[in-house]
Amino acid sequence: MTERRRILFLDHAGVLGGGELSLLSIARAFRDEAEVILFEDGPFRRKLAEDGVAVSVLPMSGKLRTISRDGGLLNDAAAIPALLGHCLKVARLARSSSVIYANSQKSMIVGAIAGALSRRPVIWHLRDLMDVAHFSSGHIRLAVGVANAFVSRIIANSEATRDAFIASGGKAAKTLTVYNGIESDPFDSVDPSTSSLLRTELGVTESDLLVGCFSRLSDWKGQHVLLEAIRKHPGWHALLVGDAIFDADTPYKSMLETLASRYGMADRVHFLGFRDNVPELMAACDIVAHTSTAPEPFGRVIVEGMLSRKPVIATNAGGAVELIRDRQTGLLVPPNDAIALQGAISSLEQDAQLRATIASQGHDEAVSRFSSDRLVREVRAIVDSTRGGT
Ligand code: UDP
Ligand code: GLC
């Protein structure tokens, strides 16, 4: 591979969040010209390596690790010497690439400086909604300022993400929306016998209603709203697939466990932890619920629910609104509203025709708008035009 063609992908995370799973499909498609640098080790590195992607870990030193999404700028300032050291190392690696592609906010800051040092253009795949529901205003100013100054192209994962970036002062001319793409094969090739097996293992009968939530356990992902919504319905079960993959979310996980036992429903709230077989688990559910209480930037799990041919209920904010047409390809409910969620579950439970129509129309919409081929094509066009200097 010539230097001209190489892409240096950066991500700070070693865990498998939605941003990392999305990069996995992109890096796989660019395998022959990609090198991925992660700032911590973990299952993401192993997945990339299994898929034949060149990946290495450049660990962040102590102070750099303490920068958090809601932390203050003083804390960030203390991390500057470590940050510069890290940027220098990335700049050295970038010399054998034609473009730097940062997949997360922390890696964008590093990539932007490394790009200036190595004179390589930088693309930022922006997967976060830059608003105060998610970040401190200092962090938003810092990230937007650095991106405006040093990043050539910003790829937003939804119009909501793009709008929030621009509303925070981000340059509109550099920013374009590319929706995520999800491979449909794993959802189409689920063996149906695994579904009934799973329900039996969980003690969920055919007449019970299994509502699955497939988000990492985190306050703003709103699993507590689902627990509230099913509380008064003994035949309703919640399948919580996902873990507190970021340390700050561990107390929320304990809170959910406490809530389930306090409400006397530990036998119908099933904590599965992080799982690798989301398509199989979705197939066992009657409904897929997305319960985020803050605007979701995109929400892969919504599209995955649609690809599973399940009726999806999602909260009416952020990118979710661009994925679902209410009562046609899914149901939208206000965020943080357990009564509305309970009502939506109930209307699906009682109306088989509505369930079937939404599931089928949702599936077709997901296939036509969110394919991984379309994602790769759009990303390739942006990478090529950026390294061409346009
Ligand atoms: N996911 C997974 N295993 C789990 C829980 C979730 O593989 O146990 C995946 C899920 O299928 C989805 C991603 O994690 O692809 C979450 O992405 P999303 O965009 O919904 O949310 P994020 O975590 O990025 O905010
Ligand atoms: C982020 C967002 C999520 C999005 C994912 C992939 O993790 O929180 O909404 O789907 O990135 O772009």
Side-chain angles (χ1 to χ4, degrees):
M1 178 56 46
T2 64
E3 170 185 321
R4 163 119 190 84
R5 300 288 306 164
R6 284 195 75 82
I7 307 165
L8 188 67
F9 288 99
L10 305 177
D11 198 311
H12 74 282
V15 291
L16 286 168
E20 288 64 46
L21 289 166
S22 297
L23 178 58
L24 187 63
S25 333
I26 296 173
R28 207 186 284 134
F30 284 89
R31 190 173 8 217
D32 296 339
E33 51 194 298
E35 179 178 1
V36 182
I37 306 291
L38 305 181
F39 298 170
E40 68 179 21
D41 202 358
F44 186 27
R45 181 191 56 75
R46 292 192 285 279
K47 280 253 182 239
L48 285 159
E50 273 163 30
D51 285 354
V53 179
V55 54
S56 46
V57 177
L58 195 62
M60 291 181 289
S61 63
K63 279 268 184 282
L64 205 50
R65 296 176 66 87
T66 65
I67 298 182
S68 67
R69 43 173 62 210
D70 44 7
L73 285 180
L74 264 185
N75 185 46
D76 296 0
I80 287 174
L83 175 68
L84 288 178
H86 207 68
C87 295
L88 279 170
K89 289 182 195 154
V90 174
R92 238 170 270 135
L93 291 167
R95 289 201 187 104
S96 54
S97 299
S98 58
V99 63
I100 297 174
Y101 191 115
N103 192 59
S104 63
Q105 225 175 117
K106 252 185 208 179
S107 69
M108 180 277 289
I109 303 280
V110 172
I113 300 169
L117 292 170
S118 60
R119 303 195 182 171
R120 295 296 184 271
V122 180
I123 296 171
W124 179 21
H125 204 136
L126 171 57
R127 302 183 177 280
D128 293 321
L129 230 137
M130 307 295 282
D131 70 11
V132 288
H134 291 281
F135 299 99
S136 71
S137 53
H139 268 191
I140 296 175
R141 273 200 304 279
L142 177 70
V144 171
V146 171
N148 280 345
F150 298 113
V151 173
S152 301
R153 287 276 197 286
I154 293 117
I155 303 177
N157 61 1
S158 67
E159 290 292 324
T161 297
R162 179 173 191 268
D163 291 348
F165 177 71
I166 295 166
S168 307
K171 286 188 181 162
K174 290 184 174 190
T175 313
L176 55 154
T177 298
V178 176
Y179 288 125
N180 287 315
I182 315 257
E183 279 128 40
S184 56
D185 289 0
F187 294 90
D188 294 336
S189 54
V190 172
D191 174 354
S193 65
T194 57
S195 304
S196 43
L197 204 64
L198 180 81
R199 287 178 78 110
T200 311
E201 276 168 19
L202 296 174
V204 179
T205 65
E206 278 315 303
S207 60
D208 290 333
L209 193 81
L210 185 59
V211 185
C213 185
F214 292 79
S215 299
R216 58 195 156 85
L217 304 183
S218 181
D219 188 15
W220 73 274
K221 291 291 187 181
Q223 283 86 354
H224 58 283
V225 185
L226 178 59
L227 300 201
E228 290 288 348
I230 67 162
R231 190 177 170 187
K232 296 198 181 117
H233 296 262
W236 293 6
H237 290 238
L239 186 70
L240 300 186
V241 182
D243 210 340
I245 55 174
F246 299 112
D247 293 345
D249 294 323
T250 311
Y252 181 69
K253 179 179 179 180
S254 314
M255 192 280 270
L256 287 174
E257 287 162 348
T258 309
L259 206 62
S261 57
R262 194 189 311 140
Y263 288 168
M265 51 189 206
D267 57 337
R268 54 192 184 91
V269 178
H270 309 279
F271 289 91
L272 262 54
F274 184 89
R275 295 295 178 103
D276 252 342
N277 59 338
V278 165
E280 276 82 15
L281 298 171
M282 274 191 181
C285 294
D286 299 297
I287 294 171
V288 170
H290 162 267
T291 53
S292 293
T293 56
E296 181 74 51
F298 177 87
R300 290 171 55 92
V301 291
I302 298 170
V303 174
E304 292 167 351
M306 293 158 93
L307 289 174
S308 295
R309 299 172 197 270
K310 299 294 165 183
V312 177
I313 305 172
T315 55
N316 193 359
V321 178
E322 297 161 55
L323 311 185
I324 283 189
R325 283 179 287 125
D326 193 25
R327 301 195 67 80
Q328 296 180 52
T329 57
L331 293 183
L332 292 172
V333 292
N336 223 344
D337 187 340
I339 294 173
L341 180 58
Q342 181 191 338
I345 297 173
S346 190
S347 66
L348 288 171
E349 184 184 39
Q350 283 158 24
D351 190 340
Q353 184 59 49
L354 180 68
R355 274 201 313 271
T357 309
I358 282 182
S360 145
Q361 291 178 175
H363 172 265
D364 295 352
E365 178 106 337
V367 169
S368 73
R369 292 179 62 212
F370 304 112
S371 76
S372 55
D373 288 351
R374 192 261 317 136
L375 165 75
V376 169
R377 216 172 31 247
E378 291 182 16
V379 168
R380 186 173 289 284
I382 295 168
V383 166
D384 285 345
S385 71
T386 307
R387 60 184 164 195
T390 54

